[in-house]
Every structure is written in structure tokens, then in C-alpha cells.
Amino acid sequence: MLRAAPRNGLIAGLLATTLLVGLLYLLSAFRWLSFVPYDLADLIIRLTPGQIATEGIEALGVVAKITIKLVSIALVIGFGGVLGGIVGWLVERRGEQRIGGTSNSAALVLFLALLGLALANQSATQTSPLLPVPFLIRLFAAFGWGALLAYLYRGLARPQIHDESAPEAQHERRAFLVKSGAAVVTLAIGSTALAELFAAAPDTPPDQVALLPGSNPNPTPVPDSLGNFQAPADVRSRITSQRDLYYVSSRTRDPRVDPQTYTLRIEGNVERPLELTLEQLQRLPRVDQTSTLECISNEVGGNLIGNCTWNGTRLADLLQQAGLRAESRRVALYGADGYVDSIDLADALKPTTLVVLGIDSQPLTVPHGYPARLIVPNIYGMKNVKWLQRIEVVTFDFQGYWQERGWSNPAVVQTTSVVDTAGGISLENGVVPLGGIAFAGSRGIQRVEVRIDEGEWSAATLEPAESPIQWRRWRWDWPATPGRHMVTVRAMDGAGELQTEGIADPHPDGATGYHSVRVDVRG
């Protein structure tokens, strides 16, 4: 059992660091300080061996990153408690009853404050913050933490001057602990709530208006269907808005890139390295392209997929301007968050591979890669690098972040089809309209079939195709009978290849298998 002085130091350290964590989280919302627990979380993510990282993602899914964040916060708070315990132990060794009473104790508090300053001074994983980082705020946070630890320890240690077993001493210590603990926790929770409130604000830089020549800040709404196709209820929209597009990142926070200092560099095995500002990128010939983006972690029937209208310029034009040298093999892509991946040179030179600045004639939001990202329609999203800062032409088989962790390097999307209509449905004029989407990358979709229970496959009606790189929605009017049934869908790509029936997890090449849902038909 801990002696009184180390125990008091442990409690003081835990409380002081809990408040510090809450305040750091609030200050990080203004980008004045780095949030140290998330720095630790990013370090854990980077150092985790690939096999363990993959197993964690497969076992926990989106909860994996949340778990790492919570563990990192607990580790930082626990570290503060350990430091407080060491304070108590050292004070006890010197026969002192309270901290702050001697030069030795003052030196100890100063050391702890400087240690806190070093932690708070760690730069965030964000490039060119939009606001300067005031040194005085860091100084205040660090020394405030040290002073609070000293105050809490003194308050907990004061009753030791008297007989510790006396009821008055125990009551005094308990009352101080309850009051100070409640105040600290309230302030920490309040700071966190304020940080979340600021984080919920719109994430599009307000100074970014024009994207490329011909941009329209108020574009005409696009039709939700093509031709005479009528999508059944509950089928997703033909075009996915930026707000509804899925979001995945390998880090705990998104980088904040200053548009005034941003440049995109193109270098490596080229004749004429380029460095383009955001304004220069905006002036390049504009391409508007609707294409589908899917995450390699998307499960069969999942929602990590979207069909957006991207606004950008062709990567091939930039590479040709730089002048490709002989033996160029792949194009490595570097994001402002430290993420890196690569694509084959043949994919980079396709006219559908874009450096994108916007969606629906609006600037990219920060979560989706502001100010620039890559779009390669035939390849899973992990290679569509966001916050793009550097493009390097290489002569070897470049292995990126996820390839080092065992995921596919070609990463060509698997043919997939999804039933969007599920749950309890009712007969409409003797039929139940079923529907969903199908996608096969640049191969396109030529056929979708539906099966009820263990019956025969029936061809569905497809929405007209604008381009093979977009998903196609489908509809099948089912002459249903009341009761519970299993609906299964499969697709055939444009090359006549039927979707893979065998079930496979997303790792390492993307999920495969037919999507099935149970429906209850009401008469």
C-alpha cells in the first residue's frame, strides 16, 4: 500500500493532468497548441507492426482509432499521476511535509513545469497552422500545471502536520479532495465541450472562393436520375455530396494547410521539377468529372463509397509539363499529414486521374483533403492521397503506408453490388420495388441480377451510364408474397466477368462476396 506522501502526489498528479488535458484539447481546437495525447496516439499508430495494426482494424473497425485515442489520453493522465507520486516520494525522502516550502521543492516544481512545457511544445501533425502558436500560452499551460500540482499536493499533505489518524485530519483531507476534484473535473469537461463545439463549425476555409476558371459558387442542381429511371425509396442518391462522402484517415487529426504558403511539388525522375502555388493550380485547365470513390476497408454492402463530381486538373498534364524521364515506373504521393502511397505510372497518365481542388464547384473541406487531393477512379481510396503536397516520379516499386502493413499495392477495386432496400416493406400494386448500386471501377457495370431466397436470378433494370467510372443504380420490381425473404444481388462488369461470390475480408485486396439482406413483406 502506498505511503501517504506518494499517494497524495499520485492523486495531485492525476487531477492536475486531467485539467491540463482538457485545456490542451481546447487550445488545440484553436490550433494554438498540439494535443499531446493525440501526438502519442499517432506515434503508437506509426510504430504498431503491420500485422498487429491490420488485426486491430479487422477486429475493431472504426472503433480501433477511438480506442487508441482513449488509451493515449489515459496514458498521459497516468503519466502525470506517476510524476505526482514521484514528487510525493522525493518530498517524503527529504522529510518535508508539503511541497513549495524549500528551494529543493521549488526546483522540483520548476523541473516538472519545464517537462510539461516540453510536452505542450510538441508541434502538431499539422503543416503551416492558420494561427501562430503563442509561446506564452505554452508557458502558462506548463507552469500552470506545475503550480496546480503543487497546490493540490500541499492541500492533501497539510493534514499530515497533525495526527493523521485524527478524525479532523481525515475529514479535512477528504473535503479538500472532493472540492478540488470536482472543480478540476468540471473545468476539464467544460474545456472538452467547448473544444467539440468549435470543432463542429464548418471546416471549409472561408478565403477560398474560385477553384478553377469557369467555377460556379452556386452550381445548378444535378438531376437525381438519368433517363426514365426511377430509383426506389431508400436507394442512395445518384450523386454524393461532399457532406455525405465517407471519411477515413490514418491519423488522429487532419492537417491544416495554409493556402497562402501551400505549394505542390512535382519532382523525382523528371526533366523539369515543378512547384505550383494554389493560385497557379486554380488557373490550370479545369476538368469536371463524376466518378466513384471506394475505401478498401469497405465491407460487402458497406457505406464507405460515394459517387462525386470532382473539380480539378489532369495529373498527366502536370507530369508531361515536368517531362518524364526514361525508366519512370511509379508515382509516389505525399500528403501533409505524413501519409504516403503510390500509383503505377500508367494509372497516373490516364485522363481520369485528377489533382482535385473541389467537389460540386465548392472547395474541398479539410477532412476531404483541402487544398488538393488525388482521384484515381479505378483504385481504392487509400491511394487517392489527400492534402497532397508532393508528387515524386520513381523508378522502383514504391511501397506506401498501407503496403508496408500488408495491403494491396495495385489496389484495383473489386466488383461490388449492394441492396439498399431492406427491413419492413409493403406491396405497391402487387410488387415490391428493390434497388441499390453496383460498381466495378473503370470496367463498368453491364448487368445486375437479383435472387429471392434460393430462386432463380432475375435481371434488374439499370440506370443509364454516363461513364464506366461511376456506380450504376439498379431497380427490380419484385412480385413479392407476404412474409420474410432473403434478397441477394450480384453484378457483372463491363468485361463480362461475374462478381466474385466467395467471401473475403477487406484485407488485403478489398472485400468480395454477394450482398444479402432480409426483408419482411407486408401484404
Side-chain angles (χ1 to χ4, degrees), residues 379-419:
I379 296 178
Y380 280 117
M382 66 178 180
K383 290 184 171 290
N384 293 242
V385 175
K386 297 184 288 188
W387 312 293
L388 188 61
Q389 280 192 321
R390 183 160 71 95
I391 298 172
E392 181 184 15
V393 180
V394 298
T395 58
F396 54 91
D397 185 18
F398 188 98
Q399 298 292 304
Y401 179 90
W402 287 114
Q403 287 70 52
E404 292 176 348
R405 287 156 174 78
W407 293 76
S408 171
N409 203 19
V412 176
V413 297
Q414 306 276 1
T415 301
T416 187
S417 54
V418 180
V419 182

Side-chain angles (χ1 to χ4, degrees), residues 66-120:
I66 297 174
T67 301
I68 293 175
K69 288 181 177 180
L70 294 176
V71 167
S72 298
I73 291 172
L75 286 174
V76 169
I77 294 175
F79 180 68
V82 170
L83 287 179
I86 293 174
V87 168
W89 177 75
L90 290 175
V91 169
E92 184 182 48
R93 292 270 296 179
R94 284 166 171 74
E96 298 171 355
Q97 295 298 325
R98 50 185 174 180
I99 198 165
T102 69
S103 58
N104 289 337
S105 296
L108 185 58
V109 173
L110 177 63
F111 166 75
L112 290 172
L114 291 176
L115 179 61
L117 177 62
L119 292 173

Side-chain angles (χ1 to χ4, degrees), residues 58 69 142 185 247 281 321 340 378 428 433 449 451:
E58 291 178 344
K69 288 181 177 180
V185 172
Y247 165 72
L281 283 172
Q321 184 178 347
V340 60
N378 194 45
E428 298 178 11
E449 296 177 329
R451 182 178 67 190

Side-chain angles (χ1 to χ4, degrees), residues 421 425-428 430-434 475-481 519 521-522:
T421 309
I425 50 182
S426 300
L427 286 165
E428 298 178 11
V431 300
V432 170
L434 301 175
R475 175 185 180 126
W476 186 60
D477 291 330
W478 168 31
T481 57
V519 296
V521 180
R522 298 183 292 266

Side-chain angles (χ1 to χ4, degrees), residues 155-189:
L156 291 170
R158 184 179 297 115
Q160 295 181 39
I161 298 174
H162 312 293
D163 181 6
E164 187 165 342
S165 61
E168 310 85 54
Q170 296 180 16
H171 176 76
E172 184 178 350
R173 184 185 300 109
R174 188 180 302 111
F176 178 83
L177 180 60
V178 169
K179 290 180 181 178
S180 58
V184 164
V185 172
T186 299
L187 287 172
I189 294 175

Side-chain angles (χ1 to χ4, degrees), residues 238-384:
R238 183 173 70 88
I239 304 297
T240 308
S241 69
Q242 183 165 200
R243 179 190 59 205
D244 295 331
L245 181 63
Y246 77 89
Y247 165 72
V248 175
S249 176
S250 64
R251 307 296 292 269
T252 60
R253 291 152 296 179
D254 298 330
R256 305 297 176 122
V257 181
D258 185 351
Q260 303 302 320
T261 59
Y262 171 80
T263 60
L264 175 62
R265 288 182 290 148
I266 302 174
E267 55 193 20
N269 197 44
V270 297
E271 298 289 346
R272 299 172 295 278
L274 301 177
E275 186 167 10
L276 302 170
T277 65
L278 182 56
E279 183 179 0
Q280 290 172 322
L281 283 172
Q282 292 168 343
R283 292 175 179 173
L284 294 174
R286 170 172 167 161
V287 175
D288 295 330
Q289 170 180 289
T290 301
S291 59
T292 300
L293 179 68
E294 182 180 10
C295 180
I296 197 169
S297 296
N298 197 28
E299 300 281 355
V300 172
N303 291 317
L304 299 182
I305 184 172
N307 191 54
C308 297
T309 299
W310 311 94
N311 319 119
T313 193
R314 290 189 175 93
L315 176 59
D317 294 343
L318 298 177
L319 294 176
Q320 289 167 3
Q321 184 178 347
L324 293 170
R325 289 177 175 170
E327 300 182 355
S328 296
R329 184 175 176 185
R330 292 186 72 82
V331 175
L333 308 148
Y334 297 81
D337 60 340
Y339 181 81
V340 60
D341 213 317
S342 72
I343 60 175
D344 189 81
L345 182 62
D347 289 316
L349 294 176
K350 290 179 179 178
T352 54
T353 300
L354 305 180
V355 174
V356 165
L357 303 179
I359 297 175
D360 297 331
S361 294
Q362 298 296 316
L364 292 170
T365 57
V366 172
H368 291 302
Y370 179 83
R373 67 169 298 165
L374 194 76
I375 285 296
V376 193
N378 194 45
I379 296 178
Y380 280 117
M382 66 178 180
K383 290 184 171 290
N384 293 242

